[in-house]
Amino acid sequence: MNSSTAQIKNILIVGCGGQGVILASEILSYVAVSCGLDAKKSEIHGMSQRGGVVTSHVRYGRKIASPTIMEGSADILLSFELAETLRWISYLKPEGKVISSRQQIVPPIVSTGLAAYPENIEQILRERTDKPIITDALPQAMELGNPKLVNTLLLGMASNFLDLPVEQWKMVIENSVPPRFKELNLTAFDAGRSLQ
């Protein structure tokens, strides 16, 4: 492992219940550990079964003392839902990278008319951070054969900005999904790596 991978990396993964946020954070953590690094992860998913907010902090490096990321210090904000990207943008450090799905999941408070879904999110993100990558991850995953491939596709995109070997990513993905979905997930990971 070279010296750059010994530096601490902070990745905040956010989305809604059922989108695969927890599996994505587990895969990322295992990839770091398989590379001989220390990794710590924390997650919040109190209402995830009902489509509530799910967040997972992943930190890795030579030695990690705390599993949580401080505001303004995330290297990558990896988001599965557009409004959640906006909600957590304050955790990104100035030179950090936003990778977000364009998918919108309307929460119950909006459905009941008590609040409005934010408008112009992509424009706000472009004003607040440098060159966010916002992609139609759900339609792309469906084209690959399964909407649940969104998390692997987004991990492939994030891997372009993390100094972890591709073969380690693929080994961990193979060991983290049911055998019948292994090839689909590897295809989704490669598809994500091709999107920048």
Side-chain angles (χ1 to χ4, degrees):
M1 197 63 47
N2 63 38
S3 59
S4 65
T5 54
Q7 296 175 352
I8 293 174
K9 291 289 186 182
N10 299 315
I11 300 94
L12 180 60
I13 306 176
V14 301
C16 298
Q19 288 193 294
V21 169
I22 302 303
L23 178 59
S25 66
E26 288 175 355
I27 288 172
L28 173 55
S29 300
Y30 287 140
V31 172
V33 169
S34 75
C35 292
L37 298 169
D38 187 19
K40 291 200 169 38
K41 170 175 82 75
S42 69
E43 55 199 46
I44 298 174
H45 48 93
M47 295 295 286
S48 61
Q49 296 298 318
R50 296 184 179 185
V53 177
V54 180
T55 63
S56 185
H57 296 224
V58 178
R59 305 185 72 222
Y60 70 80
R62 189 176 302 280
K63 181 65 181 169
I64 303 297
S66 168
T68 54
I69 300 169
M70 294 178 60
E71 273 194 85
S73 62
D75 295 281
I76 294 178
L77 171 58
L78 183 64
S79 176
F80 291 41
E81 202 277 338
L82 200 54
E84 293 307 318
T85 314
L86 185 58
R87 184 198 305 264
W88 297 96
I89 192 70
S90 64
Y91 276 76
L92 194 70
K93 65 185 184 183
E95 67 275 24
K97 194 73 184 168
V98 168
I99 301 170
S100 177
S101 171
R102 192 169 273 125
Q103 185 177 359
Q104 297 181 4
I105 298 176
V106 177
I109 194 168
V110 172
S111 300
T112 57
L114 296 175
Y117 194 91
E119 296 181 359
N120 304 318
I121 295 176
E122 293 188 33
Q123 179 182 337
I124 295 169
L125 292 173
R126 289 190 178 91
E127 291 169 358
R128 294 182 62 178
T129 185
D130 186 39
K131 298 178 183 173
I133 300 174
I134 303 169
T135 186
D136 292 311
L138 180 59
Q140 294 169 62
M142 292 174 73
E143 279 184 23
L144 292 172
N146 191 323
K148 292 185 176 182
L149 295 171
V150 164
N151 60 356
T152 314
L153 190 140
L154 290 174
L155 280 177
M157 296 176 73
S159 73
N160 289 319
F161 301 95
L162 297 171
D163 194 8
L164 298 169
V166 172
E167 59 271 18
Q168 294 301 116
W169 283 97
K170 292 188 173 183
M171 179 196 72
V172 172
I173 289 170
E174 286 181 355
N175 293 327
S176 300
V177 301
R180 67 183 187 279
F181 296 123
K182 184 175 71 175
E183 288 305 320
L184 268 180
N185 277 277
L186 292 175
T187 299
F189 179 77
D190 285 336
R193 287 187 58 80
S194 70
L195 301 170
Q196 293 189 41

